[in-house]
Amino acid sequence: MRKWISLFCPLIMIFILTSFRFKPANLEVPDTLKVNGPTEVLFPKNKTVFNQVMAFKESQGDYFTINTLGYLGKYQFGIGTLQLMGVYNATRFLKDPALQEKVFHTNIARNKWILRKDIPRFVGQHINGVEITESGILAAAHLAGAGNVKRFLRSHGEFDVNDEFGTNINAYMKKFSGYDISHVSPKRNA
């Protein structure tokens, strides 16, 4: 008897389910849920994301790291840049995350002032297949210095320098393109 039950139960279930004759429901999407035009993409156009992505690229976000070339902290600053920003104690800098954030923002504001004429002139153009954006320019200035970025832009990509690890200005222009950094004001003596 058990054998017959185990044989006929699945067949009976299939018969019952197929006898209901499934019909697709005629559902309409309400007008309030319909997309009427293109929607603005919010990522990566976010004020905090630029800093986070830069930090991850430089040090995986580690405030207390020193790389093999002696660059320090979350954003991998060299001693010369730190002295230019008014920081003369590397140990204090490495132990103070708030100071590192302040130096990063100061450096970005300073680079934005140095490149203030080149940013509006080149944003929107394409160089070496990469669309030039303000965030890409400032990220490249963090990598190679504002003067080298000026030379890169004005030579339309002919002049391109690599850092010690082989990363060039063009790569940073591409990687950090499109971030919103409008909250950073250019400052001459940041």
Side-chain angles (χ1 to χ4, degrees), residues 90-111:
T91 305
R92 179 175 167 249
F93 174 78
L94 203 56
K95 292 180 179 179
D96 189 350
L99 179 60
Q100 290 185 37
E101 293 297 332
K102 185 175 180 181
V103 168
F104 176 73
H105 290 289
T106 302
N107 190 49
I108 293 292
R110 182 181 164 276
N111 286 336

Side-chain angles (χ1 to χ4, degrees), residues 40 43 52 61 74-75 107 122 130 142 148 168 176 185:
E40 184 178 342
F43 183 81
Q52 294 167 0
K74 183 177 179 180
Y75 299 103
N107 190 49
F122 289 99
V130 176
H142 180 78
N148 285 330
N168 61 20
F176 295 103
S185 301

Side-chain angles (χ1 to χ4, degrees), residues 169-188:
I169 291 173
N170 196 56
Y172 259 49
M173 291 271 191
K174 183 176 182 180
K175 180 167 186 64
F176 295 103
S177 176
Y179 291 91
D180 178 15
I181 52 172
S182 60
H183 64 285
V184 177
S185 301
K187 293 181 184 160
R188 180 177 187 175

